[in-house]
Amino acid sequence: MTTLYGYFRSSAAYRVRIALNLKGLDYDQVPVNLVKGEQQGADQRVRNPQGLVPSLMLDDSSVVNQSLAICEYLDEVHPEPALLPVNPLARAQVRALAQLIACEIHPLNNLRVLKYLVGELGADETAKLAWYRHWITEGFTALEATLSSGSSTGNFCHGDTPTLADICLVPQVYNAERFECDLSAYPTLQRIAAHCRSLPAFEKAAPEAQPDAS
Amino acid sequence: MTTLYGYFRSSAAYRVRIALNLKGLDYDQVPVNLVKGEQQGADQRVRNPQGLVPSLMLDDSSVVNQSLAICEYLDEVHPEPALLPVNPLARAQVRALAQLIACEIHPLNNLRVLKYLVGELGADETAKLAWYRHWITEGFTALEATLSSGSSTGNFCHGDTPTLADICLVPQVYNAERFECDLSAYPTLQRIAAHCRSLPAFEKAAPEAQPDAS
């Protein structure tokens, strides 16, 4: 059985849960508690020397790390329903939307970075929140501009079926809400995220629906 | 003619130059001076609302943003020589290596982030360098562990032809050298980067070989 090593609140694990659910795949979940630092333990480092989640372990015990690599792997091995359009330019545009989140917002705002800010740099709670919100504002403003003017934007980030872009958007919106970011300037993101969240594959992937939710 | 909007020292633009060269494609370059803040100007924001480089403008004036999305686009439209292996699991492992750099190291150490540290957070030069080196150490330690023990590691990160992983590795090594990071703990990364840099496609893509190098 495919096994996901993740954490209910990890945005990157949340992406993989959505992809697995969209593909209709069965999987086991093994929680790796990020707050307790279990991702840095020997068990998780065997799967991912970087000590991060998620890791997906396949039936033959091969491991795939990095959430976007996992999602594209699932899309290649289980092509239906497709997580990327067919046309190369459209594929690139969907990947670029996903990467705007996965390479420009999320890496700056995850737990290990916030910990470094507070620990090594001595940032107080206000400075930490300002940092978090700054990168959300930078990224979401660009994403809103792209999606609100994009001719390919539909019920989802690209057209009327969920893609890799939506898989990244929903966990990032969830995370921003948790940090009480004002999202009123991003009506298109909010509309798309709300639509996604009404679907069973997204609903079942939500942090609060996970066995390790606390 | 395909046009790359980039900057000689941008790691992300450097990746795209390598990919274009590996594919043997002709392209024009239009420099967007990051130090002068030109990426935030109206011209670049039309191409990328986020105000970042690189952007690749195609013959029909379509624009693709995000360096990994651009590289995968080039790989799909010009399949030879391939930047990813054929086997889905191997593809995922190459993408994961690329993303370890593109999602876990580079986003934390690029110009806009270092500027925020110094500006908004008041970090001094020592604290800024410590930050930079911390994320290099975290990422490169994991990458070295993965590559030095990996059965697929060859002259390149995966096998004996350059892939998306090498396209990300070389600019990150270049950048780490510029910040005078001690790379002696990463012999496999150094060996692979040196081999890559001996090839014309990488050589021609090097920052100092670009028209806007200063």
Side-chain angles (χ1 to χ4, degrees), chain B residues 38-120:
Chain B
E38 289 176 1
Q39 74 281 17
Q40 299 292 337
D43 286 358
Q44 179 57 16
R45 282 197 182 269
V46 167
R47 293 181 287 265
N48 181 350
Q50 209 178 3
L52 295 173
V53 296
S55 296
L56 191 72
M57 187 174 281
L58 309 176
D59 290 351
D60 69 354
S61 298
S62 308
V63 174
V64 186
N65 290 309
Q66 289 291 337
S67 60
L68 294 188
I70 296 172
C71 293
E72 293 234 17
Y73 170 81
L74 294 173
D75 204 36
E76 291 182 350
V77 174
H78 307 279
E80 298 297 332
L83 303 180
L84 288 169
V86 173
N87 173 276
L89 181 60
R91 292 167 73 81
Q93 283 160 347
V94 169
R95 285 193 179 112
L97 294 172
Q99 290 164 19
L100 191 160
I101 296 168
C103 302
E104 313 285 2
I105 302 177
H106 177 251
L108 292 159
N109 283 351
N110 66 18
L111 187 63
R112 64 184 189 137
V113 174
L114 300 180
K115 273 191 171 169
Y116 190 100
L117 285 179
V118 173
E120 280 83 344

Side-chain angles (χ1 to χ4, degrees), chain A:
Chain A
M1 171 77 93
T2 301
T3 304
L4 175 62
Y5 295 83
Y7 181 61
F8 75 111
R9 267 192 187 143
S10 154
S11 295
Y14 190 174
R15 292 175 197 153
V16 175
R17 294 194 301 263
I18 297 169
L20 286 162
N21 296 344
L22 284 169
K23 295 290 183 185
L25 299 169
D26 275 337
Y27 56 103
D28 280 335
Q29 286 201 65
V30 176
V32 178
N33 190 310
L34 300 191
V35 174
K36 291 187 184 153
E38 290 177 1
Q39 73 280 19
Q40 299 291 338
D43 286 356
Q44 179 57 15
R45 282 197 183 269
V46 167
R47 293 181 286 265
N48 180 351
Q50 208 178 5
L52 294 173
V53 295
S55 297
L56 191 71
M57 186 173 282
L58 309 177
D59 290 350
D60 69 356
S61 297
S62 308
V63 173
V64 187
N65 290 310
Q66 290 291 338
S67 60
L68 294 187
I70 297 171
C71 292
E72 293 234 16
Y73 170 82
L74 293 173
D75 204 35
E76 291 181 351
V77 175
H78 307 279
E80 299 294 333
L83 303 180
L84 287 170
V86 174
N87 173 276
L89 181 59
R91 291 166 75 81
Q93 283 160 347
V94 169
R95 285 193 179 111
L97 293 172
Q99 289 164 19
L100 191 160
I101 296 167
C103 301
E104 313 285 3
I105 302 176
H106 177 250
L108 292 159
N109 283 349
N110 66 18
L111 186 64
R112 64 184 189 139
V113 174
L114 300 181
K115 271 190 173 169
Y116 189 101
L117 285 179
V118 172
E120 280 83 344
L121 288 174
D124 61 16
E125 193 61 21
T126 308
K128 187 185 91 172
L129 272 177
W131 164 280
Y132 185 96
R133 291 171 183 163
H134 175 78
W135 303 115
I136 287 286
T137 302
E138 287 282 301
F140 276 9
T141 301
L143 204 53
E144 178 68 26
T146 304
L147 291 175
S148 64
S149 67
S151 58
S152 318
T153 311
N155 288 328
F156 296 91
C157 289
H158 184 95
D160 291 325
T161 55
T163 66
L164 197 58
D166 306 290
I167 286 174
C168 290
L169 176 65
V170 167
Q172 191 61 69
V173 166
Y174 170 87
N175 210 268
E177 287 169 352
R178 204 158 75 78
F179 280 81
E180 298 178 358
C181 296
D182 176 5
L183 301 182
S184 57
Y186 319 115
T188 313
L189 304 196
Q190 288 195 292
R191 170 180 67 73
I192 294 170
H195 180 60
C196 289
R197 283 164 150 179
S198 72
L199 305 176
F202 286 81
E203 219 172 346
K204 210 179 117 191
E208 53 277 11
Q210 304 317 306
D212 57 331
S214 58

